[in-house]
Amino acid sequence: MTDLKRFDGHGVLVTGAARGIGAAVARRLAEEGGRVLVTDRDLLQAERTAAALREQRLAATAFACDVADRGSVEAAVARALALFGSLDVLVNCAAHCTPDVPLFEESSDDAWERDLDVTLTGAYRCCRAALPHLSASGRGAVVLIGSVNGLQDYGNHGYSAAKAGLGSLTRTLAGHAGPRGVRVNLVAPGTVRTSAWEGRDADLDAVRPLYPLGRVGEPEDIAAAVAFLASRDAAWITGTVLPVDGGITAVNRAFRTALRGGAGSA
Ligand SMILES: NC(=O)c1ccc[n+]([C@@H]2O[C@H](COP(=O)([O-])OP(=O)(O)OC[C@H]3O[C@@H](n4cnc5c(N)ncnc54)[C@H](O)[C@@H]3O)[C@@H](O)[C@H]2O)c1
């Protein structure tokens, strides 16, 4: 638990917050004094997550929100305003990732459109609904959750295109919203141990050696970076993409290992 209290009295809306990175972000911002609307399309799990925070005397309320539905997003923003009186921070975590099929030419329009609709357009819907209120707050901040998939090839073409698109949205929205007093940044996580990797311990073990820092990420690693970018500590930072990835996009471990005849570079 951090001693920082950078969000005292702030109204915070987190999407995809029932579990994983979104839940860790909700916890971190609540620990720092934020009043958090824990939104997710899975209301039951969102309620469990919010209840666990309230048990620790943190301010959290669950609300059903499917980012694929404009009305649902607008209802969540309205709920945050009604509860908190202002909306100061938006964190967009909800995403959809269709696993690759063996042959690219057999991939479907439906899968591509779903990945784009939830991951990219969902974030756009949230930003559009929240922006006037973030601007009115005078200290508004948006943090989008991208992925290293938006920066390099890690497979999952629809999801990766959507994550790359979020980088562009970050920059154009930063340009538009900066003069209105709102900062917009993106955190691009590497592999993070969440329910998205449930039952795939062998895969997590397999990718671990590719990480210069010797481990995959935990949701709290991402939440700490989100809290920084959403806080006044980042008052002069907007339009940036921050990889929080144990160094995997900066360092080519496979290349180093190949040069050393497979002996490893540790
Ligand atoms: N875990 C990783 O390795 C990893 C790596 C890079 C980026 N990310 C990104 O981090 C974010 C969170 O991922 P995670 O690993 O915590 O996932 P997760 O599967 O643990 O949690 C995702 C949450 O989003 C919710 N959700 C899905 N579709 C939604 C929708 N349409 N509307 C609202 N909520 C919806 C789910 O119900 C779930 O609670 C995502 O944007 C993901 O792309 C994760």
Side-chain angles (χ1 to χ4, degrees):
M1 176 98 127
T2 176
D3 290 335
L4 292 169
K5 287 284 177 234
R6 292 175 294 190
F7 302 102
D8 251 337
H10 286 48
V12 176
L13 193 161
V14 186
T15 73
R19 53 175 69 75
I21 291 169
V25 167
R27 170 173 292 277
R28 174 70 189 239
L29 298 188
E31 284 174 355
E32 291 207 36
R35 294 178 292 168
V36 181
L37 196 63
V38 176
T39 77
D40 202 285
R41 68 171 180 179
D42 180 349
L43 179 59
L44 192 62
Q45 185 57 35
E47 276 171 345
R48 287 195 199 108
T49 298
L53 296 180
R54 284 196 301 272
E55 269 170 31
Q56 294 179 266
R57 299 177 172 276
L58 300 174
T61 306
F63 193 77
C65 175
D66 181 347
V67 300
D69 181 294
R70 179 177 183 168
S72 180
V73 166
E74 289 175 353
V77 168
R79 184 76 182 128
L81 282 170
L83 277 173
F84 310 138
S86 69
L87 181 58
D88 305 290
V89 177
L90 167 69
V91 183
N92 198 93
C93 289
H96 188 269
C97 179
T98 304
D100 281 336
V101 291
L103 276 181
F104 179 82
E105 53 269 44
E106 289 176 3
S107 58
S108 74
D109 285 12
D110 282 353
W112 172 269
E113 282 162 14
R114 181 75 181 153
D115 285 354
L116 269 287
D117 188 44
V118 176
T119 308
L120 178 56
T121 315
Y124 159 73
R125 289 184 189 102
C126 294
C127 292
R128 182 177 56 191
L131 186 58
H133 311 293
L134 293 167
S135 180
S137 99
R139 55 189 180 189
V142 177
V143 183
L144 301 178
I145 304 298
S147 170
V148 292
N149 283 54
L151 307 174
Q152 283 185 344
D153 165 43
Y154 295 92
N156 304 118
H157 49 270
Y159 170 82
S160 299
K163 291 296 191 182
L166 286 176
S168 173
L169 180 64
T170 300
R171 291 181 286 275
T172 55
L173 195 56
H176 177 78
R180 298 171 66 183
V182 180
R183 296 180 304 102
V184 186
N185 291 290
L186 179 144
V187 168
T191 309
V192 179
R193 188 191 306 280
T194 68
S195 66
W197 290 88
E198 207 167 87
R200 296 179 62 191
D201 283 354
D203 286 338
L204 292 176
D205 286 344
V207 300
R208 187 173 300 117
L210 299 175
Y211 281 88
L213 292 181
R215 65 174 177 87
V216 298
E218 300 297 331
E220 293 72 22
D221 293 316
I222 310 306
V226 170
F228 164 67
L229 286 172
S231 79
R232 61 180 174 273
D233 288 335
W236 209 47
I237 300 177
T238 196
T240 62
V241 169
L242 176 63
V244 181
D245 67 353
I248 197 168
T249 52
V251 178
N252 194 327
R253 293 276 282 187
F255 188 85
R256 286 170 170 269
T257 302
L259 282 186
R260 291 168 200 206
S265 58

